[in-house]
Amino acid sequence: MGKITFVEHSGTAHIVEIAEGQSLMQTAIDNGVPGIDADCGGACACGTCHVILHSDWVQAAGSINADEQGMLGLTPEKTDASRLACQITVSEALDGLIVHLPEFQM
Amino acid sequence: MNPLKPLLEPVIQPVLNKATAIIPIHWQIKGAHAFQHAKNRVGRGRPVPTFKEVPLPEVSTLALQDIDLSNPFLYRQGLWHSYFKRLRDECPVHYQKHSPFGPFWSITRYEDILFVDTHHDLFSAEPIISIGPQPEGLEIETFIAMDPPKHDVQRQAVQGVVAPKNLAQMEALIRSRTADVLDQLPIDEPFDWVQKVSIELTSRMLATLFDFPFDQRHKLAYWSDVAAGAPESTGGNANTDEFFRAAADMAKQMSLLWREKEARKAAGEEPGFDLISLLLANDDTRDMINRPMEFMGNMVLLIIGGNDTTRNSMTGGVFALNQFPDEFTKLRKNPGLIPNMVSEIIRWQTPLAYMRRVAKQDVALNGQTIKKGDKVVMWYASGNRDERAFEQDPDQFIIDRKNVRKHLSFGFGVHRCMGNRLAEMQLRILWEEILKRFDHIEVLDEPGYVQSNFVRGYSTMNVKLSARH
């Protein structure tokens, strides 16, 4: 079973198992990873599951649609590797993915 | 709408903008006021509706088509709840043809509201988000009522001021100001919580955000009340003359503040972290003062946004805990519930009842067809009580409610409330400091309610405090 590593802003790492087909946001929530609010429950409508992917994984995570781009624009801490975790579907192809959590969700 | 307007605007706008560089904005507003007076005298002005309060009927006695959620007394008379419930159950996408604000659709279920709010491609926020239009002659431009991409540019210029990183630095200041206000409250004697706490704290916060003269902070709250209270926009009771006078006064003071900061910046002074300094530091907004309606729009938006909402949640929380005393007991036993309670207060109160959109094309929704150009009102206050969306009875106030952060009060999509984290922090600190000092806050009688279809607010609420032993 593949693994994903979430790294909190403080540096604390959480290694969790991949649940095929689940969103990256749900994966974090189900495993009690702190730092993701997901207020809207995965509707790409609040921007509070903002994560920053390790640069090696930006391509593999897939493309960003206009809605996600719009919501990411509301986050002052946005970087080139920023994504909304609710818009990434995890699969074995993401085995080894490293995800950094921002200091705050907005 | 004047059919010549689209043709004339490209011609007039540059002239106006040029004039602005020379003529102060508050003079222009006075000029617009005089012009409006003249227009009204010769019968060319748009009539302003007046609202006189009469007891409203029980919703069960009405035909569906006669239900009018725009009535500004529904909240005050405690009928909003039954009106919303009937529409949620029987006609969740509802058309009211003959309101004083013209025809509009009401969206009352959680899922439908989420759909409308997240589809800015189908539903425009322009030209304004209240059911009715802005007062004639003073149509301000604000990014809450702009669509992408213009919205994005303007919002991004100012949102840094309420970014969580900056809030963390402001926390100590907010806490000391909150403590100061609470320490001055009388114990065991009645006073008005709205004036002494809710308005006082939100005015202090606004003065801080704008770096506005602290001794004049109450003007900010006053301007906000007048701006949100125009009868033609929200069914409020501000009169037109008062509206123009307040706008002129605000324009004068905010322009002065802007020019002063601009001069300090030009002199090489390190910019502060207030809203105006941020706007001056951004290439897209540094010359905003030369576009008067945009300048006024942003000032008004940020003042209203930081005022009514938090103020009425500060009052609403005390009221809710009095209506559900077991929750007060629960809170005293476990102050760790405060962050979750703050979200529950914001859900339960829903300080702004709705946001309005206009359909950009025909849209089929829940069995109805909304036509291009129709007004669409998303009733957050109803969605937050939708039994289909909240597992635990949404009419109950439950401070440890599960998944409460999904509430609609901040909106969803690109217009989601920019100050949501600041609001949550202010309320969290307020309750942390309350619990340190007081054992109980007793609401002594029925609060006074604001006349509006938009602001769900309290004008007065008499309370009595007991000290903590």
Side-chain angles (χ1 to χ4, degrees), chain A residues 37 39 45 73-74 104-106, chain B residues 156 159 164 405 413 416 421:
Chain A
D37 293 339
D39 291 354
L74 309 184
F104 303 99
Q105 295 290 349
M106 174 116 176
Chain B
Q156 278 162 19
Q159 67 188 7
R405 295 193 63 86
R416 185 166 170 80
R421 299 293 171 173

Side-chain angles (χ1 to χ4, degrees), chain B residues 346-358:
Chain B
I346 296 167
R347 180 196 72 86
W348 188 84
Q349 181 61 36
T350 318
L352 297 182
Y354 65 85
M355 289 286 153
R356 185 256 273 196
R357 300 287 184 257
V358 174

Side-chain angles (χ1 to χ4, degrees), chain B residues 123-167:
Chain B
F123 300 97
S124 170
E126 299 176 6
I128 197 61
I129 47 72
S130 50
I131 297 187
Q134 304 184 71
E136 204 177 11
L138 202 55
E139 287 96 347
I140 53 171
E141 294 171 20
T142 132
F143 65 81
I144 197 176
M146 286 175 196
D147 295 329
K150 195 176 178 195
H151 158 271
D152 304 356
V153 172
Q154 296 227 344
R155 174 168 170 149
Q156 278 162 19
V158 292
Q159 67 188 7
V161 76
V162 285
K165 190 168 275 183
N166 303 318
L167 296 188

